Amino acid sequence: MFDSEFEQNLFDLRRAKLAEIEKLGESAYPNRFAATHTLGAVRGHWGEVQAAELDAGRVTVAVAGRIMAIRAQGKAGFATLQQEGQRLQIYVRLDAVGEQGFALYKLLDLGDHIGVAGYLFRTRTGELTVHVERLTFLSKAMLAMPEKYHGLADLELRYRQRYVDLFANLDSREVFVKRARLLKALRRFFDERGYLEVETPMMQQIAGGAAARPFKTHHNALDMDLYLRIAPELYLKRLVVGGLDRVYEINRNFRNEGISTQHNPEFTMLEFYQAYANYHDLMDLTEELIRFVAMEVNGTTLTTFNEAEIDLGKWERLTMREAIVKWWPENSGSPRPALEELHAPDKLRGWVEDLRAIGKQIDYTDGEPAGKTIANIFEAVAEDFLIQPTIIYEFPTAVSPLSKQKPDEPDWVERFEVYIGGFEIGNAFSELNDPVEQHRRFEQQLAERQRGDEEAHQMDEDYVRALAYGLPPTGGEGIGIDRLAMLLTGSRSIRDVILFPLMRPEKQEPASSSPLPG
RNA sequence: GAGCCCGUAGCUCAGCUGGUAGAGCAACGCCCUUUUAAGGCGUGGGUCCUGGGUUCGAAUCCCAGCGGGCUCACCA
């Protein structure tokens, strides 16, 4: 537990202080405190009230908090309490709290939790302060607080010891408060529109609904291998078959992939499905949704991300093919393609080579479906430019095994992705509901798997059977909640919006470092 | 998985053309009854991430490892 002799010594010292506190008749670990107000409520009610008014009609309060600063001055002293991200100063003087009370004050340390009762006043410098008449000890900090001015700056420590980060860096706390508001806003948005919130299996025998490598686990009693889900998609559509016309789920997905500023192995996904809707309906709904949650979380649709001003209320829509043409690099060996050339692409290989020649990274293997190449070209050419909210629609069928084809262009599907800040935050389509076609698509995916694509979709016979009972025309969408939270809070890294991001283990501590004596 | 950068006191950071460590905050002692990054006087605190190597001598130079950050790849 201890990182050093310093910490061990401090811990021992604080234990001795706790013993002193008990000698004063206080409990070392009391079990409650009857506060009349939170610190935020005190600020809310009396934050603007003038000194004269406070002196005229004495306001008494009982409040609790953690000591974040303490300034002793002989026979008096100040401290700053913090609670729920709010701060309030207290003033303790010998002649107000008595010998016992002041002895307790002198035994307090930074980080301790205390409760105080007293009346409000303003100091000479105008700061709203509780003039303490009774001091109650609540809990001791046995370890040293971070530096009071800079807070905890070390990113590794902030992620590993989020419990310190949260009280030491109020900016960090604010991110997670906003994240909670985001979740609440999402639920309100869908609840108000008649969607039912559901929970589907996170342990699945077939990891389907997305292209990703899964985590594997094992159930002992059934002696059965299971995958942690990579998406809830196939279960949610089974529910629409079952007559739950509008469903949504907000929960974790798990993907056994690399970690980056935009990827955490477990991440939160919103998926929703709506019977009788197609992908155009979902485009409208998506714009409305993003606008709504931005207003609920920030009170504005404007946000700053990676030094870019983004308006989450202003949207552009482009087909994937239009986006490729629009953002085609001027300096590539190939001239900007015409839109028609992307309808029947026979120049793909040359394009890939020319784009690679100017430094674009594009996966390409001989014999891969044309649609796969086009999708990769799109990501290489256009993605970085999609900073303002943009809907990219019409995707190649080859990379969309669960989407419905366009009636007039069977190589393309009714699908769109939502791009903001240069990365994808959502993916939606008119759901493929023809069981025969779905079975054929799964078989195509199996062929891709044979060619070595580990992320190609697996066959799910039961899902095809569900479709055979009849899935109404349905639109479905998934939105990455962590990424949306990044945009709304201006966080550059996904780790800044996940309370406990996955970290490598630190070196094992020797077992002898127990805080207990003997 | 690859490239670049970082790791010094509990925290925030100096020191890095090699001569075995400093500051501020925090801690401890003393003074101070309206301070607020309170102030004053004094004290203690470090396997300089780990392990090798070069050298008379390494926090500093070299190699390897561990942990972290960023970029790229995979993906959302």
Side-chain angles (χ1 to χ4, degrees):
Chain A
M1 169 176 170
F2 297 114
D3 287 341
S4 65
E5 200 176 328
F6 172 91
E7 288 202 337
Q8 175 78 63
N9 291 341
L10 187 65
F11 197 92
D12 292 343
L13 205 64
R14 298 277 161 99
R15 283 171 63 96
K17 283 191 179 180
L18 268 184
E20 291 297 311
I21 287 167
E22 284 186 307
K23 279 188 200 159
L24 290 173
E26 295 280 325
S27 171
Y29 289 97
N31 63 10
R32 76 188 299 268
F33 179 76
T36 58
H37 300 80
T38 62
L39 298 187
V42 171
R43 285 222 167 276
H45 285 114
W46 295 285
E48 307 301 324
V49 177
Q50 298 303 305
E53 198 175 329
L54 288 174
D55 293 343
R58 176 168 288 206
V59 177
T60 61
V61 297
V63 296
R66 184 194 285 274
I67 299 171
M68 297 305 287
I70 190 161
R71 298 175 288 278
Q73 285 184 321
K75 295 183 176 58
F78 292 90
T80 302
L81 298 188
Q82 178 174 299
Q83 179 190 52
E84 298 277 5
Q86 299 286 328
R87 290 185 167 200
L88 186 67
Q89 178 170 270
I90 63 167
Y91 180 53
V92 182
R93 46 193 287 174
L94 176 60
D95 53 19
V97 297
E99 295 285 348
Q100 290 267 112
F102 204 70
L104 174 59
Y105 172 77
K106 287 200 282 193
L107 288 165
L108 295 177
D109 291 297
L110 285 178
D112 288 1
H113 294 271
I114 59 169
V116 298
Y119 58 91
L120 295 176
F121 76 111
R122 282 190 187 275
T123 61
R124 272 207 275 267
T125 53
E127 172 122 8
L128 183 66
T129 304
V130 180
H131 199 295
V132 178
E133 295 172 311
R134 218 177 132 250
L135 190 59
T136 308
F137 180 78
L138 296 179
S139 182
K140 199 140 199 64
M142 309 294 280
L143 296 168
M145 293 295 105
E147 217 252 8
K148 67 183 170 191
Y149 189 63
H150 299 90
L152 189 65
D154 186 298
L155 277 178
E156 180 174 357
L157 284 178
R158 293 180 54 191
Y159 298 147
R160 287 191 196 278
Q161 302 185 33
R162 187 69 88 180
Y163 39 88
V164 179
D165 180 42
L166 285 170
F167 68 72
N169 301 321
L170 294 182
D171 289 352
S172 179
R173 177 198 170 88
E174 185 59 20
V175 165
F176 295 101
V177 169
K178 282 190 173 184
R179 185 179 170 124
R181 283 214 290 270
L182 167 60
L183 273 290
K184 197 172 182 177
L186 290 168
R187 290 198 160 91
R188 206 179 122 202
F189 184 88
F190 287 106
D191 291 345
E192 283 174 352
R193 284 163 180 75
Y195 287 75
L196 194 68
E197 181 170 9
V198 296
E199 293 166 284
T200 61
M202 298 176 73
M203 300 165 79
Q204 306 178 345
Q205 289 185 71
I206 297 169
R213 301 221 299 271
F215 287 93
K216 202 172 186 177
T217 187
H218 186 80
H219 188 275
N220 288 339
L222 297 182
D223 188 21
M224 175 171 72
D225 282 338
L226 288 164
Y227 297 105
L228 300 188
R229 77 175 182 195
I230 56 174
E233 167 146 359
L234 301 186
Y235 283 94
L236 291 173
K237 278 185 276 188
R238 284 174 170 98
L239 297 181
V240 182
V241 171
L244 306 182
D245 280 2
R246 293 182 174 206
V247 292
Y248 73 97
E249 176 164 12
I250 300 175
N251 220 320
R252 230 65 67 80
N253 287 350
F254 306 87
R255 300 191 183 174
N256 209 337
E257 313 272 356
I259 294 176
S260 78
T261 49
Q262 287 161 37
H263 301 84
N264 195 62
E266 56 176 309
F267 64 100
T268 300
M269 181 78 116
L270 157 71
E271 285 204 14
F272 57 93
Y273 290 82
Q274 180 177 335
Y276 317 117
N278 69 10
Y279 72 137
H280 285 293
D281 299 317
L282 293 188
M283 290 183 203
D284 297 340
L285 191 69
T286 301
E287 294 186 6
E288 201 182 335
L289 170 69
I290 300 296
R291 212 176 281 127
F292 176 77
V293 298
M295 289 304 293
E296 290 290 303
V297 171
N298 288 329
T300 170
T301 57
L302 298 176
T303 188
T304 304
F305 186 75
N306 267 346
E307 283 152 28
E309 278 291 323
I310 294 175
D311 188 345
L312 297 169
K314 280 188 181 166
W315 290 76
E316 187 176 2
R317 295 182 189 184
L318 289 171
T319 66
M320 177 181 282
R321 285 169 284 189
E322 287 167 349
I324 291 173
V325 172
K326 177 171 180 179
W327 301 110
W328 192 264
E330 296 292 347
N331 60 342
S332 90
S334 305
R336 183 184 303 274
L339 207 51
E340 299 74 46
E341 293 181 279
L342 290 166
H343 285 253
D346 54 355
K347 304 177 174 172
L348 288 173
R349 196 199 173 111
W351 285 337
V352 169
E353 281 167 7
D354 286 339
L355 289 170
R356 279 179 175 172
I358 58 166
K360 299 286 182 191
Q361 303 267 358
I362 304 182
D363 265 358
Y364 181 80
T365 50
D366 278 320
E368 74 179 19
K372 201 167 181 171
T373 315
I374 292 174
N376 286 334
I377 288 175
F378 160 74
E379 283 182 26
V381 164
E383 188 166 6
D384 289 347
F385 298 101
L386 305 177
I387 307 296
Q388 296 302 322
T390 308
I391 284 172
I392 299 292
Y393 65 103
E394 291 178 11
F395 276 58
T397 306
V399 295
S400 313
L402 303 166
S403 310
K404 182 175 278 186
Q405 285 149 303
K406 291 184 70 193
D408 53 332
E409 283 186 305
D411 286 342
W412 297 84
V413 294
E414 298 185 351
R415 172 180 172 189
F416 70 88
E417 287 188 346
V418 180
Y419 285 86
I420 308 175
F423 56 72
E424 181 193 340
I425 72 147
N427 178 25
F429 36 88
S430 303
E431 304 296 338
L432 174 59
N433 58 349
D434 173 351
V436 175
E437 172 65 9
Q438 183 66 72
H439 195 266
R440 193 182 70 83
R441 300 272 194 94
F442 276 151
E443 283 181 334
Q444 282 174 344
Q445 288 289 309
L446 289 180
E448 283 298 290
R449 226 177 161 76
Q450 293 292 323
R451 284 176 5 95
D453 185 349
E454 279 186 73
E455 290 165 0
H457 211 288
Q458 298 180 60
M459 173 64 71
D460 189 335
E461 296 283 3
D462 181 71
Y463 175 67
V464 176
R465 178 179 171 83
L467 291 187
Y469 275 100
L471 174 68
T474 298
E477 179 163 346
I479 291 180
I481 298 309
D482 312 276
R483 289 184 175 181
L484 188 51
M486 287 167 67
L487 289 168
L488 291 171
T489 58
S491 304
R492 283 163 175 267
S493 170
I494 199 167
R495 280 173 232 113
D496 294 329
V497 301
I498 291 174
L499 281 167
F500 297 100
L502 186 67
M503 304 286 278
R504 282 195 173 83
E506 292 176 288
K507 262 177 272 182
Q508 198 64 45
E509 294 287 326
S512 62
S513 63
S514 163
L516 301 175

